[in-house]
Amino acid sequence: MEMGLVTLLRVAWIAGTLPILVASIPCSKLNWFHDFLLGFARRGKTMQQSSSRKFTVPQKFFCHFYALAVIWTTFLLLATWLYAYNMALLVSQPLHFSSITSYLTGGSHSFWLHGSPSMKIEQRYRCWVSIFLLLLMEAQVLRRLYETIYVFKYSPSARMHIFGYFTGLFFYTAAPLSLCCNYVSEVFLFASNLIQELIVKGKDRMQFGEYSWWGFVGPLLKLKWHAWLGAAIFLWGSVHQHRCHAILGLVRDNSEQIEDYIIPYGDWFKYVSSPHYLAEIVIYGGLLVAGGCSDITLWLLFGFVVANLVFAAAETHRWYLRKFDNYPRERFAIIPSFY
């Protein structure tokens, strides 16, 4: 099952990335396709106010993306963490669920005390890497939800295409899933068995042993250097993205009229027009590094993020240049000194 899901996710990321790459080719014959795709990607200030509101939704619906992401990522994180604690041990554990052990293993407690005998140590390690990635993703979506509610000041007239809305819902469903897709079928089966046990026996009849918190935390401390390097890159991008979002929020807050736009300054705005997009690329680059740069699914996820944000940043940069005669000409669209 997991191979089918992995394949489906990879196909989805490729299918999402290829049209953007084609539309980005500097060829006059493809201008119509570029404009067609751009019509779906425009939102907020880059969506012309005179354009039809048909098939659009308020841009403040961005909060739906992050609310969904928080719920979904939290579920995947907790389920995978509990699964790894019982089935993919990297440290010795003294005590576990006795009754659940009996149900899932036919009475053999050694299966839970030492993890699955069929799971190699490298597979167990990769499972804990997935948990680490989900922890980072959880931090990302929680911060973005907070910023969407308390930092951003969306204009009442700001809209986005409904296709972009559904794309965002897809992304924040598929991205967390891509971080743990190699184990998700086992995790779902494990969670299903726990729920069935609870339904059949009831909470009061289920006998629980004491959890060892070291069993939950210890394996994460055994991760290799690339996990911590990736986490550092992730944190670097997160800090700058928060700063850039705060600047954009203050720009809107300080505007004399809510429909006005002014040139943002500060932090990475010194170098590019869309530093929050650049920071997003850094964040997902950190996830890629933390995962060891060996998972094709993560590479394809990262490729989609880069292609999508570069495409959107180019349009934002053109909008700034058209809007302001005094716009800083030394700024690039998204990649300093390059693009």
Side-chain angles (χ1 to χ4, degrees):
M1 176 183 174
E2 72 272 14
M3 290 307 298
L5 177 62
V6 170
T7 301
L8 185 62
L9 285 170
R10 291 176 180 178
V11 170
W13 293 129
I14 293 173
T17 305
L18 280 180
I20 301 174
L21 296 179
V22 172
S24 301
I25 297 175
C27 175
S28 59
K29 294 182 178 180
L30 293 174
N31 286 344
W32 69 270
F33 185 67
H34 177 275
D35 295 339
F36 173 75
L37 199 62
L38 195 59
F40 295 122
R42 284 195 178 101
R43 59 177 179 264
K45 58 179 174 288
T46 61
M47 179 174 283
Q48 295 180 0
Q49 300 299 317
S50 59
S51 62
S52 173
R53 295 165 66 93
K54 194 175 183 180
F55 302 118
T56 66
V57 296
Q59 194 179 6
K60 63 182 180 180
F61 279 13
F62 259 72
C63 66
H64 298 175
F65 302 161
Y66 307 120
L68 169 66
V70 167
I71 295 171
W72 180 232
T73 304
T74 300
F75 168 75
L76 290 175
L77 174 61
L78 294 178
T80 306
W81 212 335
L82 186 60
Y83 166 81
Y85 177 85
N86 289 285
M87 307 296 286
L89 302 180
L90 293 179
V91 293
S92 59
Q93 290 296 107
L95 193 59
H96 294 267
F97 293 111
S98 59
S99 63
I100 299 178
T101 297
S102 178
Y103 176 77
L104 293 179
T105 66
S108 173
H109 289 229
S110 62
F111 186 77
W112 283 71
L113 293 175
H114 303 286
S116 171
S118 62
M119 185 178 291
K120 297 179 180 179
I121 187 65
E122 180 61 25
Q123 292 177 302
R124 299 182 187 187
Y125 175 80
R126 295 298 307 174
C127 187
W128 285 97
V129 170
S130 295
I131 293 170
F132 190 72
L133 296 179
L134 287 171
L135 278 170
L136 296 178
M137 190 68 176
E138 181 83 352
Q140 168 71 357
V141 297
L142 281 171
R143 177 179 59 80
R144 294 300 302 273
L145 180 62
Y146 169 82
E147 291 172 349
T148 303
I149 297 174
Y150 297 107
V151 176
F152 287 128
K153 307 294 189 300
Y154 290 115
S155 167
S157 63
R159 312 286 294 183
M160 61 177 168
H161 198 281
I162 195 169
F163 180 82
Y165 175 73
F166 286 121
T167 299
L169 293 177
F170 161 76
F171 178 83
Y172 283 103
T173 301
L177 195 58
S178 295
L179 303 180
C180 61
C181 59
N182 294 312
Y183 302 94
V184 74
S185 62
E186 289 89 348
V187 170
F188 283 174
L189 178 61
F190 178 83
S192 176
N193 286 334
L194 290 183
I195 294 173
Q196 290 179 24
E197 175 78 359
L198 181 62
I199 293 174
V200 171
K201 291 190 173 183
K203 181 179 178 181
D204 295 337
R205 295 181 60 188
M206 292 181 68
Q207 300 176 4
F208 297 99
E210 293 183 1
Y211 273 121
S212 168
W213 289 106
W214 176 249
F216 284 102
V217 178
L220 295 176
L221 302 179
K222 294 178 175 291
L223 298 182
K224 298 177 183 178
W225 61 270
H226 61 74
W228 303 106
L229 175 61
I233 296 172
F234 174 92
L235 179 61
W236 180 50
S238 296
V239 169
H240 283 284
Q241 187 175 64
H242 178 70
R243 290 175 179 174
C244 293
H245 284 163
I247 291 170
L248 290 173
L250 288 174
V251 164
R252 170 64 63 195
D253 200 34
N254 293 333
S255 295
E256 294 181 0
Q257 299 179 12
I258 198 164
E259 298 297 335
D260 285 345
Y261 289 94
I262 63 177
I263 301 174
Y265 290 94
D267 203 72
W268 285 357
F269 278 104
K270 179 180 179 180
Y271 309 106
V272 296
S273 296
S274 298
H276 49 312
Y277 290 167
L278 173 60
E280 186 95 350
I281 292 174
V282 172
I283 287 168
Y284 282 90
L287 290 175
L288 181 64
V289 173
C293 298
S294 59
D295 192 326
I296 296 177
T297 307
L298 293 185
W299 274 106
L300 294 174
L301 165 62
F302 179 68
F304 174 83
V305 170
V306 173
N308 183 58
L309 295 181
V310 169
F311 187 77
E315 175 61 16
T316 300
H317 187 64
R318 286 190 290 267
W319 183 90
Y320 275 124
L321 292 175
R322 291 193 302 265
K323 177 74 174 179
F324 302 103
D325 294 333
N326 61 335
Y327 191 73
R329 299 294 166 172
E330 68 274 11
R331 288 188 190 179
F332 287 77
I334 188 170
I335 304 176
S337 303
F338 180 71
Y339 181 77

